[in-house]
Amino acid sequence: MSRNVQECESVDYQQIGDRIQCGKARFSALTEGLIRLEWSATEQFTDTPTLCAFTRPHPIPFTSISVTDDGALHLQTKIIHLIYHPSAEPFNNDNLQIEWETGNLSGNWTPSTLDNKNLGGTVASLDLVHRNLKPTGVHPANVELSYPHTEEWLYTPLKAAHQQLRKQGETTRFENPPLWYLSSFRRRDLPPAVQTCLEQWQHFPPGILSASGYSALNDSQSALIQEGKLTQRPESDTQDWYFFAYGYDYTQGLKDFVQLCGSIPMLPRWAFGVWFSLYDQMSDRSYQALCDRFTELELPLEVLLLDVDWHRSGWCGWDWNRELFPEPSQFLQWAHDSGLHIGANVHVDGVSPEESQFLALCKARNLDPQKVKSGEAFPVKDPTSSWFFDSWHPEDQQSDTSHLKSEDGWLLFNLAQPDEAQLFMQELHQPREAEGIDFWWIDGSNAQFPGVNSQLWTNHVYWTHQAQQSQRRPLILSRTGGIGSHRYPVQFSADTYAHWDVLKFLVDFTTRAGNVGVSYWSHDLGSFFGHVPGVPVIDPELLVRWVQFGCFSPIVRFHSDHGRREPWHYGTWVLNAIRKALQLRVQLVPYLYHLSREAYETGLPLCRPLYLAYPEDREAYLLGTEYLFGDRILVAPVVEPGGYRIVYLPSGGWWERGTRQFYAESDYLNLYVPLDRIPVFVKAGAILPLAESSLRVGTAPPDSLVLEVYAGADGELDLYEDDGESMDYQHQEGSRRLFRQRHEGYRSILSCDPIRGNYRGMPEMRTFNIRWIGLKPDSQIQGQGVEIAETCWQEEGLFIRLNPVSQSAHWQITAIQN
């Protein structure tokens, strides 16, 4: 490592490697558009990763280092020009300024700059979101402003609000009065902390992307991570900032973000199938009957999620409820033999004395079990005792919870402590994983450490545990915990209400989350709470439209609180519409899997706001209820009753997939959308990789690949595939295959290059079925390097079936249009 000390005009700076230290400040260029700015009163700097800057890249050289006559240090990259006047004071307007320019945008920034064009990030969850209680707009962005309550679980202020009302002599029950009402009309009756929380929660926190072309990230407080363990920063009086400049190149901004904060992992292929869960007393026979019904009605199903009743100790527990699951291993074996995957809900507050592992865990912690039970060992005896709400149940399903009331103390864990976390995962979770639980649905968090978001580190503990236990890809289902949450998918938005306004909100919410890398939101399709408490069914039209949106979301998951979300409860028309949507979903999995790889490599989310691709189109910033699904599909879900939908099409030419109608120009459309149709538009020139319809997705790529080819422009697809669940994808193992469409006068040509790369289990031969939309029906079809087994004209377009072809073959199909 080189060390160069220069003195010029009384400004001393040291160049250590590619970092520049000037007095109490240090600067690093991480990319051309991303720099790190540090200030330390003791001139002690660290290059250790933090919980936020988890994968901070090595610095690159500044393109220019100079000192001007006024004693200012100037550091430049191709995009950023930093000006620093050496000072004993922390960074401020007097000593720090940044000028930047890229593309058509430029700007000047100082630490006090307030950005009102930030495009927003995401919140911890959407618990209790109602048509009258949901975030709107974005808080102003500033490097020293933070909005910690946007990372808070809304059940926390709900509990505090009701405790306050009860102290005032009122009788309350769960959401009676509801939080939306208290927030809107009785805020003065609430504790100040609850008022502050609700005020902050009314808007989204800032994200990485801004229409101003830059953003600043403050990482001054987050804990360090050394050898996988949390450590505190050596001093609290520091500034550790990151400045992003990308102009309208939002794609580069996201790429810089994931380089700094960690890549978005690929999901196992099966995760893109259909999930089902229900908060109710579901037994092994209930799940088996449910799956039989799905199969009978030709409804795809991939994942069963077991809610809290799978265990016997109330909210927190790891021992099977033998009344509902008398033979757990047999149930799990049946599920796996049926091609299903199983996730199980866990609350992580602590371990009650009723758990079979209680005594052994006390012994492992060198704690006297009697002192734990008496409440002497921990400040809190039962961490769930303050949770005094019971969710609603239909009248005939009132559950008896009297046996769960106990005065005994619990064994508490802090997952921020490595020894406790290891014991917690090894003794409580590993036995269930050995039986066949595939992943965990984490309700809540339990990790206390300075500079740590409890949910984020809880997710980290579960994620890394799974990664260490097998060669399969980790997957969890949990709420988010601020910046860095994207590293631990999947996120669930949790307990929303059944309103059209909530569905409309979810569309914008899902795409906005990609601005901080959170690409894998999962929503309760149809909502968790019904519109009317105690009534298990919801508006049938709303359910259909919610499911249709879910099928063009990262994860498709049915869930509710003692509600009915099974499609067959709503009549034939609803059943047929939902079946059509779910079958389309599983056909889309090859495309979704390809997008998962793209998210891993670039940070681009699966659901993308229009401004990611059309940053200079003003309309792209105004349309929160339509989005891009990858780079070649535009989705405009129906989000209001009656089937009416206004759709904006950006420039470039679009095919409406349901009608095969072509729109050549940018335009607003007024559509009537029948119940079984989804407004989906495919970009001209696009090639979509699809699968045949099936009830299970599985892990391996399909033997028969469907290519949907849309004429009207040239286009290509460099399709990624791999074994579907191993960690080999991190080591560049997988295959790529380039498909191209081009038009030469009256000739339209679809070509396929030989496959590049390989993966375990890759087949030697492949069958292709092609649906080519937009060609003239009298076109002559010719094949080169491949045998054409069948051609015919269908309503959707030209259908071509190829005989099995070698993965190493180059082939070409030519359509000559007369």
Side-chain angles (χ1 to χ4, degrees), residues 525-528 530 536 538 543 558-560 563-567 570:
L525 299 187
S527 77
F528 183 70
I538 63 171
L543 176 63
F558 290 88
H559 187 55
S560 63
R564 298 269 65 91
R565 301 295 182 266
E566 300 92 329
Y570 293 83

Side-chain angles (χ1 to χ4, degrees), residues 718-736:
D718 198 13
L719 178 65
Y720 175 84
E721 294 181 307
D722 61 27
D723 62 43
E725 68 173 353
S726 79
M727 300 294 287
D728 292 346
Y729 79 92
Q730 295 182 334
H731 310 293
Q732 302 302 316
E733 293 192 31
S735 71
R736 291 278 187 178

